[in-house]
Each structure stands twice: as structure tokens, then as C-alpha cells.
Amino acid sequence: MEQLKALMGPTNEYPFLRKDELPPGPSSEVRLPGSGRRFAVTGDYREPARNHCAAVCLANVILCLKAGRTVRQEDRDRIFRRTYALLGNGPLFTREFRKGAGNALYEAGLTGCRLRPCGSPGAVRSCLEQGSPCAVLVMIAPLDWHWVLAVGCREYEDGSFYLRICDGWNARADRWLRWGGPVHIRSITAVVKKND
């Protein structure tokens, strides 16, 4: 696969937006508790991991679900090591991610969670309103896929919809992804508490 990617040329420029690049106008927003914390990023774990955005995203799911707790760097590192042990190097597709996620959530003591596919802005917004982070597999080219974590959303009166994301490269969830924009959403998996 790496040889094929090399032939197609580099495409690792994801056009995620900053808040000041969002359109003006009336909108409503949902934001998860714990979304303001420092998240894990791929740059924290360059060795021995490669193409490890899925493991970072899953670690960030767990960090987000521990919203009421302070998470130290050593705890973040421990969570990543476990998710990486379960998922390994990527690229990973949705089925592989979901299988590893179930095991990681159980091991993290989050046994009251289930995975729910989401296919529409309304479904994603509903999950976020219930406090459920959403793992999102995005693509900008046939062989250039990346996992990000949606921790909020913004919907405008004209129906345009944006996901607030932790992109896996920046420690804060301060990037935005436009639904139907240049970054294609391949799948969304919400982590929902069983009693929700």
C-alpha cells in the first residue's frame, strides 16, 4: 500500500478549519464535557508506532469519557499504550477499529458503553447531546484516510453542519470539519453509555 501511495503523491493536507474560518451567522452548538482538555496526538508516540491515528483517536475517546477526571500525561500515555496494543499500526478500517474499541473500553473500566454507527448530522448531534464522543474516519484521497474525534458540532440555520474535532495532530479540540466538504466522511462511530 505504501508503494501505491508513493505513486499517487503526497496528500496529507487535510483542510480542517479553525473557529475563525467558520461562516458567520446564526447557529446552534453542542460541545461535550471534557472537550477542552489536552488530548493525545500522534506526535507524542512516534516510536515505535506508525500510522497510529486510530489508536490515538481511541485513546482520546477514553479521555473524553473520563471528562470529570484530571488526566495526567502518564495516564494519557498508559491509555495510548493499551489502545495501540489492541489496534496496532494502521491504516485501520471501521470494523477493525470497532473491534479494538470494545476491548479498550472494557479494559478502561467503561463497561457501560456500546458502539453506535451514525450516518447523518441529526444522528451525530443526538449522540453528542447525550455526551457521546464520535470516532470519525475521514478521507481526502483513495489511500489517504485519517481518524479524528468529534467532540461537538455546530449547525447553521441554512442547514450546514460542522463537527468540532480533535484532529490527532493538535492537542486541543479546536478544529472543524464541514459535513459534505472536501474531506469525505467514511464512517462515524459514537460511543454511547448503555443507559442513554
Side-chain angles (χ1 to χ4, degrees), residues 123-136:
V124 173
R125 183 181 185 109
S126 176
C127 286
L128 290 167
E129 286 173 339
Q130 295 173 27
S132 303
C134 298
V136 184

Side-chain angles (χ1 to χ4, degrees), residues 17-196:
L17 304 170
R18 295 179 187 275
K19 189 171 185 173
D20 62 355
E21 297 173 308
L22 292 175
S27 64
S28 62
E29 192 170 324
V30 175
R31 186 172 175 182
L32 294 179
S35 62
R37 71 176 48 214
R38 188 214 188 272
F39 287 97
V41 295
T42 56
D44 291 341
Y45 310 105
R46 292 179 193 205
E47 294 298 327
R50 288 185 357 265
N51 292 326
H52 53 296
C53 61
V56 166
C57 180
L58 183 52
N60 287 333
V61 166
I62 294 168
L63 290 169
C64 202
L65 290 170
K66 295 178 178 280
R69 303 177 196 159
T70 300
V71 180
R72 299 173 311 204
Q73 183 64 43
E74 53 267 21
D75 296 329
R76 209 173 7 261
D77 294 346
R78 181 184 46 76
I79 291 168
F80 171 78
R81 282 193 303 274
R82 192 60 208 137
T83 61
Y84 181 70
L86 290 166
L87 296 179
N89 290 322
L92 288 184
F93 299 106
T94 303
R95 183 173 39 174
E96 299 164 308
F97 180 87
R98 288 179 181 160
K99 182 179 176 185
N103 293 332
L105 292 166
Y106 179 81
E107 289 182 14
L110 298 166
T111 55
C113 293
R114 63 183 166 82
L115 304 176
R116 176 181 165 199
C118 295
S120 70
V124 173
R125 183 181 185 109
S126 176
C127 286
L128 290 167
E129 286 173 339
Q130 295 173 27
S132 303
C134 298
V136 184
L137 179 58
V138 296
M139 176 182 86
I140 59 169
L143 298 175
D144 200 339
W145 296 22
H146 183 59
W147 285 95
V148 299
L149 180 65
V151 297
C153 65
R154 178 180 283 195
E155 188 168 9
Y156 288 86
E157 286 183 350
D158 68 1
S160 58
F161 190 78
Y162 293 78
L163 294 173
R164 180 188 196 108
I165 61 168
C166 176
D167 66 6
W169 298 309
N170 297 286
R172 299 286 175 206
D174 60 359
R175 299 296 191 269
W176 295 82
L177 167 63
R178 182 169 61 93
W179 193 283
V183 178
H184 182 71
I185 296 172
R186 300 292 303 161
S187 73
I188 299 177
T189 303
V191 181
V192 181
K193 295 175 188 163
K194 276 188 181 174
N195 57 355
D196 290 345

